[in-house]
Amino acid sequence: IELEDSVKAADHPYKGFTGKGFIEISTTVNTHIEIPLTIDEDGLYAIDIRYANGNGPTNTENKCAIRTVNIDSAKTRVLVFPQRGKEEWSNWGYSNAMQVSLTKGSHLLTISLEDANANMNELINQAMLDHIRITKIK
């Protein structure tokens, strides 16, 4: 699911994204977003998000982005978007995957910045999100 189809695309010069663009999340931008999902059949699914985080090196600092994900208003999981290298905003990878049981039909996925999502940096909690990947496990 291309996130820029549901949320206004960011205006940054980064490259390597899929679709028409990507969205930004930070402590002030897109702190609460809602993405409609349509599931074709009941099952257990893995959900992760392709992202970029160029706020710092991979081996030091504390600038990962953290977000709470709810599906149909039920607290589901937390996604973490670690740094991928200093100024590496065109270096895309996938977040941790959440395993979620979903029924056939329409659902609403919410990604939000909650108090519990504060990282150790306390100021920088930012990433660019490209698309959501939903993979049926069983």
Side-chain angles (χ1 to χ4, degrees):
I1 298 170
E2 293 292 341
L3 288 162
E4 72 277 5
D5 291 342
S6 298
V7 179
K8 184 178 184 283
D11 187 23
H12 296 294
Y14 312 143
K15 300 181 183 330
F17 53 86
T18 61
K20 298 173 287 195
F22 54 89
I23 69 168
E24 178 178 357
I25 58 168
S26 73
T27 58
T28 58
V29 177
N30 293 322
T31 58
H32 180 92
I33 60 176
E34 296 180 345
I35 310 296
L37 306 177
T38 301
I39 301 300
D40 293 333
E41 60 182 318
D42 295 356
L44 181 64
Y45 291 84
I47 299 175
D48 56 5
I49 297 181
R50 188 168 189 258
Y51 79 99
N53 181 346
N55 280 309
T58 59
N59 61 340
T60 60
E61 299 190 19
N62 50 10
K63 298 175 183 169
C64 65
I66 305 167
R67 294 295 181 276
T68 295
V69 178
N70 298 328
I71 298 179
D72 300 330
S73 300
K75 283 211 191 264
T76 304
R77 300 281 189 278
V78 171
L79 290 179
V80 179
F81 309 97
Q83 303 104 252
R84 298 186 57 81
K86 186 171 178 63
E87 299 302 323
E88 290 285 338
W89 288 105
S90 295
N91 181 343
W92 300 89
Y94 284 94
S95 68
N96 58 303
M98 311 176 301
Q99 289 188 15
V100 181
S101 291
L102 295 171
T103 56
K104 179 180 178 176
S106 298
H107 298 275
L108 185 65
L109 183 141
T110 304
I111 301 170
S112 59
L113 177 63
E114 306 290 339
D115 290 342
N117 301 139
N119 62 21
M120 291 174 61
N121 184 273
E122 296 182 10
L123 297 176
I124 297 174
N125 192 327
Q126 174 193 36
M128 305 302 142
L129 306 184
D130 185 16
H131 64 252
I132 298 173
R133 180 171 64 175
I134 302 173
T135 307
K136 186 163 191 230
I137 298 171
K138 64 177 180 175

